[in-house]
Amino acid sequence: MKKLLFVKVSLLLFISFCTFHVSAQKPVNWTDKQLMQPSELASIIKNKTNQVTIISVGPFNTIPDAINVGMVSEEENMDKFKTQLSTLKKDAKVVVYCGCCPYEHCPNVRPAIDVLKQMKFTNFYLLNLPDNLKIDWINKGYPVTQ
């Protein structure tokens, strides 16, 4: 009886560990000050008032003037991202976005922010799309590519 209980408890702990390990996402690696609101970026695009490099690190290239490197969770696209960043000054204003899904599930924004930090960029932002690109950008009427 004790052996059966031990097996059941062990199995339960193992399943709990595996579920947590698979579904757990790293904590955010950006600050609130590094979140750019969609209205601010839309204004910059519309008025062309500020020199900014916009980079899509996800599956969509929906925002005008954005450079699409693809999903940086894929190694070849991460290499494209690093190559693109290597052409910029370290104090260049850079805005990255993904928008594929809510931040807690996104495989792209954290690696992109990590690379910006590793490459010593000092003026970078994550476009604040906590839900996804459709809800937080398109549905609000902000500019999209044709």
Side-chain angles (χ1 to χ4, degrees):
M1 191 62 129
K2 284 184 177 182
K3 187 175 182 181
L4 183 59
L5 180 61
F6 175 77
V7 170
K8 286 181 179 180
V9 170
S10 296
L11 185 59
L12 181 63
L13 288 172
F14 176 75
I15 292 170
S16 297
F17 173 78
C18 289
T19 303
F20 176 76
H21 183 69
V22 169
S23 66
Q25 180 66 270
K26 290 197 267 181
V28 297
N29 58 350
W30 58 86
T31 66
D32 287 343
K33 290 180 182 179
Q34 291 169 319
L35 286 174
M36 179 178 283
Q37 296 307 312
S39 59
E40 182 181 351
L41 183 59
S43 177
I44 290 170
I45 293 168
K46 180 181 175 188
N47 299 321
K48 301 198 183 291
T49 57
N50 203 337
Q51 182 63 27
V52 62
T53 300
I54 308 165
I55 303 176
S56 171
V57 297
F60 313 112
N61 191 23
T62 306
I63 297 176
D65 303 323
I67 299 162
N68 183 23
V69 297
M71 296 176 65
V72 296
S73 57
E74 298 172 6
E75 188 175 342
E76 66 185 53
N77 295 332
M78 179 58 85
D79 291 341
K80 289 180 197 176
F81 181 54
K82 290 176 182 178
T83 299
Q84 184 62 48
L85 291 175
S86 70
T87 68
L88 302 173
K89 294 181 178 180
K90 300 297 182 194
D91 65 346
K93 189 171 192 172
V94 178
V95 178
V96 296
Y97 77 94
C98 179
C100 69
C101 56
Y103 285 149
E104 62 263 19
H105 303 293
C106 184
N108 300 301
V109 294
R110 287 167 183 79
I113 297 298
D114 282 342
V115 166
L116 285 160
K117 289 177 178 182
Q118 290 165 4
M119 293 180 73
K120 309 267 190 251
F121 278 83
T122 59
N123 194 18
F124 64 87
Y125 299 87
L126 172 61
L127 184 60
N128 193 14
L129 304 172
D131 293 307
N132 61 50
L133 190 63
K134 181 166 179 8
I135 292 171
D136 300 314
W137 184 270
I138 297 169
N139 287 358
K140 294 187 178 183
Y142 296 129
V144 296
T145 55
Q146 300 298 340

